[in-house]
Amino acid sequence: QVQLVESGGGVVQPGRSLRLSCAASGFTFSSYGMHWVRQAPGKGLEWVAVISYDGSNKYYADSVKGRFTISRDNSKNTLYLQMNSLRAEDTAVYYCAKDADIVAIRTSEIDYWGQGTLVTVSS
Amino acid sequence: EIVLTQSPGTLSLSPGERATLSCRASQSVSSSYLAWYQQKPGQAPRLLIYGASSRATGIPDRFSGSGSGTDFTLTISRLEPEDFAVYYCQQYGSSPWVTFGPGTKVDIK
């Protein structure tokens, strides 16, 4: 069965950096686009970034562009999110999520989600 | 950017009743690339509907989606106790960018 397990969350001071990881299993990781989606405490879902199945294309929400970098290592079945210049408003649960379409040229619906990792930005 | 608006913000109903949730887009969603997700407290979202009207694997047939263009609807024909949750719509027509609606909470009356 598909499993997505996030790690790397924690408490970090404003302006500092953090790297999240997502270990994937139960499917052919290298064939699917992957997303990061976040949810601030008590708030709704906010899409953060997507990376194509082969890592050649990456896209970001305006709120994180220039500060966050999505990447993947298909040999390790792992997705990453490097977060720099963190702000209080980046405080959220960060979900790793799998795109539904195989070897897709466009984004599709999200069919599997991890359980999330909490990032708290506070001094 | 396509902005999604969901209404109502909260829907108070009793088990067995019918729930009708609305999702409206600021511009037409191409090819009905719209999905619905259910989220319960402390859990990750779960895909219910994709392509505006196709049920995801394992989703009961009391859940149905409809609509096109800018107006979409999620209907739960008869609410079960486990259906009380928050529901989000998501558009992926403006690929690669994705947006979510603010959510509708379905709670017990």
Side-chain angles (χ1 to χ4, degrees):
Chain A
Q1 71 281 19
V2 172
Q3 281 198 309
L4 301 169
V5 180
E6 303 92 339
S7 61
V11 180
V12 61
Q13 293 179 327
R16 303 299 291 266
S17 299
L18 204 61
R19 188 177 84 155
L20 305 183
S21 299
C22 170
S25 61
F27 65 104
T28 306
F29 180 71
S30 59
S31 294
Y32 292 89
M34 296 293 295
H35 302 257
W36 287 101
V37 177
R38 67 184 181 183
Q39 187 169 35
K43 302 298 183 182
L45 302 170
E46 180 188 14
W47 176 77
V48 172
V50 64
I51 185 169
S52 59
Y53 64 95
D54 60 357
S56 62
N57 295 293
K58 307 172 186 182
Y59 301 93
Y60 301 91
D62 287 345
S63 58
V64 307
K65 196 177 300 181
R67 299 188 299 123
F68 289 13
T69 301
I70 189 172
S71 62
R72 65 191 298 159
D73 186 337
N74 285 346
S75 68
K76 295 182 178 179
N77 289 350
T78 303
L79 175 72
Y80 302 100
L81 185 67
Q82 177 67 44
M83 304 186 294
N84 298 332
S85 303
L86 282 162
R87 306 167 180 167
E89 54 265 35
D90 295 320
T91 295
V93 172
Y94 284 75
Y95 293 103
C96 162
K98 173 186 167 292
D99 204 79
D101 279 353
I102 190 168
V103 193
I105 59 172
R106 59 165 293 115
T107 304
S108 185
E109 69 275 9
I110 291 172
D111 58 355
Y112 290 95
W113 302 68
Q115 283 304 302
T117 187
L118 176 62
V119 173
T120 302
V121 183
S122 173
S123 54
Chain B
E1 176 189 338
I2 297 179
V3 177
L4 300 178
T5 303
Q6 291 187 243
S7 61
T10 301
L11 195 54
S12 296
L13 295 168
S14 300
E17 290 193 295
R18 181 185 187 90
T20 303
L21 288 66
S22 173
C23 176
R24 180 162 289 176
S26 59
Q27 54 188 283
S28 183
V29 177
S30 65
S31 303
S32 295
Y33 287 135
L34 187 113
W36 290 92
Y37 300 86
Q38 176 194 67
Q39 188 179 34
K40 297 178 182 179
Q43 296 185 16
R46 177 175 71 145
L47 177 66
L48 299 175
I49 301 288
Y50 63 94
S53 60
S54 298
R55 267 189 303 276
T57 303
I59 301 303
D61 60 8
R62 64 179 181 273
F63 291 92
S64 63
S66 62
S68 63
T70 60
D71 290 299
F72 299 87
T73 301
L74 174 70
T75 301
I76 310 171
S77 58
R78 288 178 54 87
L79 283 164
E80 297 288 341
E82 61 268 29
D83 298 338
F84 292 92
V86 180
Y87 293 84
Y88 295 95
C89 58
Q90 173 218 20
Q91 71 79 26
Y92 46 101
S94 57
S95 173
W97 291 275
V98 165
T99 51
F100 289 93
T104 290
K105 182 178 182 180
V106 179
D107 66 13
I108 300 176
K109 189 174 183 180

